[in-house]
Amino acid sequence: TGRQAIETALAPARGGAGTKSATDIRFLIALIDRYGSLDYARAVSRRFARRAESILNRATSLDSSVHAEFLHALVDFVVQRNR
């Protein structure tokens, strides 16, 4: 699987948690691209955001407050941020 490939690349035989070379980084980026890791992570984050929105919408104690607006905006920000 993609996860196994990445874990193998990060194994102690290749330097473990130490500093990675430019070649190591290019290799890891290629694995991330090949296995669709970023698309998967985005889909998971959207799923969690929908769940959070649903919970916030049911939280009647937050109705029409500045705090509710902040939490809704925070959910949007976390999912849509670039970094």
Side-chain angles (χ1 to χ4, degrees), residues 10-82:
L10 294 174
R14 290 186 49 95
T19 303
K20 301 296 177 216
S21 68
T23 301
D24 291 333
I25 293 168
R26 283 191 299 275
F27 174 74
L28 291 170
I29 290 171
L31 284 176
I32 289 167
D33 288 342
R34 182 183 322 152
Y35 291 104
S37 299
L38 292 178
D39 291 336
Y40 174 78
R42 286 183 187 109
V44 169
S45 70
R46 284 191 300 270
R47 191 168 58 242
F48 277 112
R50 285 193 304 270
R51 286 176 55 194
E53 284 288 339
S54 176
I55 291 167
L56 287 171
N57 288 334
R58 292 192 314 263
T60 57
S61 61
L62 293 175
D63 287 344
S64 299
S65 72
V66 66
H67 303 99
E69 291 174 20
F70 173 78
L71 291 171
H72 284 281
L74 184 61
V75 169
D76 291 337
F77 170 77
V78 169
V79 171
Q80 295 180 18
R81 67 191 173 99
N82 290 327

